[in-house]
Amino acid sequence: MSEEQIKNLEEQFEARILRDDKIEPKDWMPEKYRQTHIRQISQHAHSEIVGMLPEGNWITRAPSLRRKVALLAKVQDEGGHGLYLYSAAETLGISRDEMFDQLHTGKAKYSSIFNYPALTWADMGAIGWLVDGAAIINQVALCGTSYGPYARAMVRICKEESFHQRQGYEIMLKLANGAPEQKDMAQDALNRFWWPSLMMFGPKDDESPHTAQSMKWKLKRKTNDDLRQQFIDQTVPQADILGLTIPDPDLKWNEAKQGYDFGEIDWDEFWQVVKGHGPCNKERMKARVNAWENGAWVRDAAMAYADKKSELKNKQAV
Ligand code: FAQ
C-alpha cells in the first residue's frame, strides 16, 4: 500500500472515531490501535481469571448455603467475563495460547488488586463492594469504547458486576450490623482493601503513558483520575451507611469541587505490586500456571474430539 493510501485510510479512521462509529474486527485500523487494544483487553481478561483466585479460595468456607451459592455464581461469572474478553481480543489477531503465554511469563499484566490476600470472610464483602464497585465504574465507561467487540462484552459484564457489587455490600451490611467482632472484621477488611482499590484505576493521569492516546481513540472514555474520583465520591456515603470509617485521615468533602479530597496514594507500593513484588504475585501465577499445565489433557481431548468430528463431516461430504 502506498503512503498516500495509508494516509487516506488513517484520515477515514480518525473521522469514524470522531463520529463515534464502532470499529469492527474486519475494518481497517492503525497497527498501534490494534496493539493497544490487544494489550488492554487481554490484561483485562487476565484480571478476571486471576481475580477468581482470592474468592475461589473461600467457596468451601462460606458461612451458609446461601452465601456459598452466591459466591460460587460470582466466581463463575468472573471466569465467563475472562472468556468474553479473550474472545474479543482474539478478533484482533492474537491467539488465546499467545495471551496465556504472555500472562504466564509475566509479559502481560493483570490488575494489582488480586495480589493482595483474602484473609477473612469479611474480605469477600470488601472485594464485592470495593473491587467490583471500582470495576463497574471503570467498565460502565468502557461500554462506550470505540472497538465494537470490547464495548459489547462490557455491556453484559456490567450487568453481572452489579450483582457482584451488591452481594459484597450485603455481606458488609450484615457484618457491620452484627456482633462487635463482626463489625471489627468488616472494618479491618475495609482498612486493607481501600487503598489497593484506589490503585485499580492506574497511575495518575500525568504519569500514565497510555491515557492521552487511548482517550483520543476513545478506547478510554474517562481518565484514570476522573474514574478514581467518581469511585471515591460514590463509595464514601456507602461506608457511612455501614457505619465504617474510610482509612484516610485526609478524606474531606470539598464543596467547591463537589467531590472528596483524599490522601496521597502510596505509588511505590503500587509499582512494586505491578512489577511482581506484591504479597501474592508468586502464589497467583503459580496457581494459574498449574491450572494451565494440569488442564493440558482436557485441551488435548477437546482438540482430538474436534478433529474426529471434522474428519467425519468431511467423509460424509464426499
Ligand atoms: N494493575 O498508562 P496506564 C475486575 C499498568 S476487572 C496492574 O494508565 P492504561 C473484575 C498498565 O497496564 C479489573 N497494572 O495504562 C473483578 C500499563 O502497563 P503496560 C481489571 C496496571 O492501560 C472483580 C501501565 O501500568 N480491569 O476487577 C494497573 O491506559 C472482582 C501504565 O498505566 C481492567 O483491566 C493496575 N491497577 O490504563 C474480577 C479494566 N494500572 O501495559 C474478579 C480495563 C495500570 O504499559 C473479582 N483496563 N497498570 O505494561 C483499563 O481500564 C486500563 O487498562 C487501566 C490502565 C485503567 C487499568
Side-chain angles (χ1 to χ4, degrees):
M1 217 182 286
S2 72
E3 264 181 41
E4 176 84 9
Q5 282 168 318
I6 294 178
K7 202 166 161 263
N8 271 341
L9 285 169
E10 271 171 1
E11 279 169 9
Q12 285 168 26
F13 177 85
E14 297 298 342
R16 292 188 63 193
I17 295 279
L18 274 180
R19 283 199 305 269
D20 272 336
D21 277 4
K22 291 283 179 240
I23 307 300
E24 297 298 338
K26 289 191 176 144
D27 295 343
W28 186 89
M29 61 187 83
E31 184 54 20
K32 235 184 129 202
Y33 177 94
R34 196 174 71 82
Q35 289 301 340
T36 299
H37 277 73
I38 290 178
R39 178 186 64 79
Q40 179 165 322
I41 301 171
S42 65
Q43 291 187 170
H44 195 164
H46 298 326
S47 304
E48 297 281 354
I49 58 155
V50 177
M52 295 168 78
L53 297 169
E55 288 169 300
N57 201 26
W58 275 91
I59 292 170
T60 54
R61 290 179 286 169
S64 70
L65 179 63
R66 179 172 170 269
R67 292 287 180 211
K68 190 176 202 148
V69 170
L71 187 61
L72 189 61
K74 177 186 192 292
V75 174
Q76 278 181 342
D77 282 353
E78 282 149 8
H81 298 172
L83 297 184
Y84 310 149
L85 288 163
Y86 283 126
S87 299
E90 279 175 319
T91 65
L92 290 157
I94 185 167
S95 72
R96 210 167 283 213
D97 282 5
E98 278 174 276
M99 287 186 269
F100 280 127
D101 187 59
Q102 290 177 353
L103 173 67
H104 298 158
T105 55
K107 195 173 159 225
K109 296 191 167 67
Y110 59 90
S111 184
S112 50
I113 190 74
F114 302 116
N115 292 308
Y116 291 85
L119 301 176
T120 69
W121 173 251
D123 290 7
M124 297 302 97
I127 290 175
W129 172 36
L130 301 173
V131 177
D132 286 274
I136 296 174
I137 288 191
N138 173 289
Q139 292 172 165
V140 165
L142 286 172
C143 291
T145 192
S146 61
Y147 187 56
Y150 194 25
R152 289 188 288 275
M154 279 301 118
V155 172
R156 171 139 182 210
I157 289 177
C158 282
K159 287 184 187 157
E160 293 174 351
E161 296 287 24
S162 74
F163 145 67
H164 297 174
Q165 197 268 356
R166 270 180 276 163
Q167 73 85 39
Y169 193 68
E170 201 220 351
I171 293 174
M172 294 303 274
L173 205 57
K174 225 14 187 212
L175 293 174
N177 290 301
E181 292 81 359
Q182 287 175 306
K183 187 166 183 185
D184 288 350
M185 205 160 82
Q187 181 64 55
D188 172 61
L190 169 58
N191 293 350
R192 284 180 291 107
F193 276 93
W194 176 252
W195 292 103
S197 298
L198 300 190
M199 295 173 192
M200 286 176 70
F201 297 96
K204 283 185 185 170
D205 292 350
D206 53 11
E207 279 161 29
S208 157
H210 302 301
T211 293
Q213 182 61 64
S214 291
M215 289 294 287
K216 277 194 202 135
W217 277 328
K218 298 186 180 168
L219 161 54
K220 280 179 158 177
R221 304 309 308 254
K222 288 188 178 174
T223 70
N224 299 0
D225 286 337
D226 286 348
L227 292 170
R228 187 167 16 246
Q229 183 70 53
Q230 193 182 330
F231 172 73
I232 293 170
D233 294 343
Q234 175 180 302
T235 310
V236 172
Q238 295 171 355
D240 290 343
I241 293 171
L242 293 173
L244 299 179
T245 308
I246 303 274
D248 178 359
D250 296 321
L251 189 75
K252 199 165 169 257
W253 177 253
N254 179 329
E255 190 61 31
K257 83 169 183 189
Q258 286 292 300
Y260 286 90
D261 290 332
F262 54 96
E264 187 61 21
I265 291 170
D266 184 345
W267 292 112
D268 286 343
E269 176 181 320
F270 169 74
W271 289 114
Q272 281 301 317
V273 176
V274 169
K275 286 179 188 152
H277 312 301
C280 299
N281 294 61
K282 287 195 179 69
E283 185 185 328
R284 300 290 185 240
M285 231 5 70
K286 194 165 170 247
R288 284 311 315 162
V289 171
N290 280 348
W292 177 254
E293 287 172 356
N294 295 337
W297 69 272
V298 180
R299 293 191 298 279
D300 290 347
M303 289 309 290
Y305 179 68
D307 286 348
K308 237 185 198 172
K309 241 178 134 180
S310 77
E311 244 173 57
L312 202 71
K313 216 171 166 191
N314 289 342
K315 264 190 202 155
Q316 280 165 350
V318 176

